[in-house]
Amino acid sequence: KCILKVKTTETEWEWAALPSILTNNTDLTSDKAERRASYYKTGIADGVRAVYKGFKDAENIAVHTFVWFNPSTRELNFEVRVDGDRPLQTERLCWPASLENADSNDGYTILPRMLGTLITHGSGVTIDNARIQSRDAYMSFFGQVASSSGYIAVYDTPFDAGYTLEDDKMSLYFIPSLGTIRYKRRMIYHFSFFA
C-alpha cells in the first residue's frame, strides 16, 4: 500500500507507511480516524488538505495535514498541526512517515551527524531517536541518493524534531513542546536527478 509516490527518472521514492501519532503508549495511525480531505490550489500551492479526528483511543485529538507541491521551486511540502491534545498525552508525531526507495538497493544516506555521515544502503546501520540541532544532526536536514536520483529533506520547523534510520528507511518525528504539539510542523522535500 503506497500513500504517496515520487518518480524521478528511473527511481521511485514512496511513503508506504502510515503517518501516526503516539499517545499514552498507543500508536494511532491515520487509518484509525475519520478523514475529511479537499483539493487545494493557489498560485504557489497545488495539494491536498486533510483532517483526521475521531481516533478511538484519543477522541479529543484532531490532526490537520496539508501536502502540497510548489511548481516554481519544485518542492514537496508537508505541514501538520495537532489540536486538542492534553498536556503529556502526545509522545511523538510521525508526519510524514518513512520514505523508501522502491526501485533499488544501491545508494547511500547522508546525515549531518557530528562532522557528517554517509551510510551506504544495505549496511544494516540503525540509528534510533536522533535529535535535530544536537550532535545527531547539527544541521536540520537529511538526504538519500539511489541510482540516478536523490532528495534532501529539510526541517522547516527544526525545533522539537528528530529522525530514525532503520534498514535504509529514513523516518522523522516531532515531539511535544511544553507537553503538547502546540505549533505547526513543516518539512520540505526537494528531489533531483543526475545525468
Side-chain angles (χ1 to χ4, degrees), residues 48-65:
V48 176
R49 287 188 183 277
V51 179
Y52 301 87
K53 59 183 179 178
F55 292 98
K56 182 179 177 185
D57 297 317
E59 290 281 338
N60 57 303
I61 291 179
V63 180
H64 302 261
T65 64

Side-chain angles (χ1 to χ4, degrees), residues 1-6 13-16 67 76 78 99:
K1 180 179 180 181
C2 176
I3 308 301
L4 180 65
K5 185 182 293 188
V6 173
W13 300 92
E14 65 183 31
W15 287 268
V67 179
L76 187 59
F78 290 84
L99 179 60

Side-chain angles (χ1 to χ4, degrees), residues 109-194:
T109 300
I110 303 151
L111 300 172
R113 287 174 68 87
M114 295 173 272
L115 296 176
T117 304
L118 189 136
I119 301 168
T120 57
H121 287 311
S123 63
V125 172
T126 297
I127 300 170
D128 219 6
N129 297 320
R131 293 293 301 275
I132 300 300
Q133 298 183 331
S134 73
R135 66 178 289 179
D136 295 324
Y138 286 128
M139 294 180 283
S140 53
F141 76 91
F142 60 83
Q144 291 188 304
V145 173
S147 298
S148 59
S149 74
Y151 72 88
I152 184 169
V154 178
Y155 292 81
D156 197 33
T157 53
F159 306 105
D160 308 308
Y163 67 87
T164 61
L165 173 68
E166 183 178 355
D167 298 328
D168 307 325
K169 293 179 192 169
M170 282 299 303
S171 301
L172 62 95
Y173 64 86
F174 296 102
I175 59 173
S177 171
L178 299 174
T180 63
I181 305 289
R182 58 181 61 242
Y183 61 92
K184 199 179 291 184
R185 314 299 174 98
R186 290 184 304 273
M187 289 293 296
I188 300 171
Y189 286 76
H190 185 82
F191 291 84
S192 295
F193 62 92
F194 317 111

Side-chain angles (χ1 to χ4, degrees), residues 75-92:
E75 293 170 338
L76 187 59
N77 297 264
F78 290 84
E79 193 173 283
V80 63
R81 186 183 88 237
V82 176
D83 289 338
D85 59 329
R86 292 187 292 270
L88 304 179
Q89 179 184 20
T90 304
E91 298 169 43
R92 180 180 286 203

